[in-house]
Amino acid sequence: MDPLQCKACGSDHFVQGRMGNGATSVKPIDKLSGGSFIMLTFCSECGEVSSIKVENPSKFK
Ligand SMILES: [Zn+2]
């Protein structure tokens, strides 16, 4: 994993979290089922988000 540096505070301590409270948080608009969580990578010092990713983009193909 590439070393990250926070653009807000300069810290290189990042953690990951998952958006969605027990349910999928992003769903394909043209399908009834499926979907994915959103993964956030953010600075553990100040909370600046460096990356937002859909966890399972293949479910949208
Ligand atoms: Zn920071």
Side-chain angles (χ1 to χ4, degrees):
M1 195 171 171
D2 293 332
L4 296 169
Q5 187 170 30
C6 178
K7 63 177 184 273
C9 77
S11 168
D12 60 358
H13 295 117
F14 282 83
V15 293
Q16 286 194 313
R18 176 188 261 171
M19 287 176 66
N21 189 17
T24 52
S25 57
V26 177
K27 290 177 182 287
I29 57 174
D30 59 347
K31 294 178 183 175
L32 293 176
S33 63
S36 179
F37 290 107
I38 298 292
M39 298 295 292
L40 295 178
T41 302
F42 57 94
C43 175
S44 64
E45 300 296 325
C46 75
E48 178 79 5
V49 174
S50 72
S51 173
I52 303 173
K53 280 188 177 179
V54 172
E55 193 172 67
N56 295 302
S58 64
K59 291 187 176 178
F60 291 77
K61 288 179 181 173

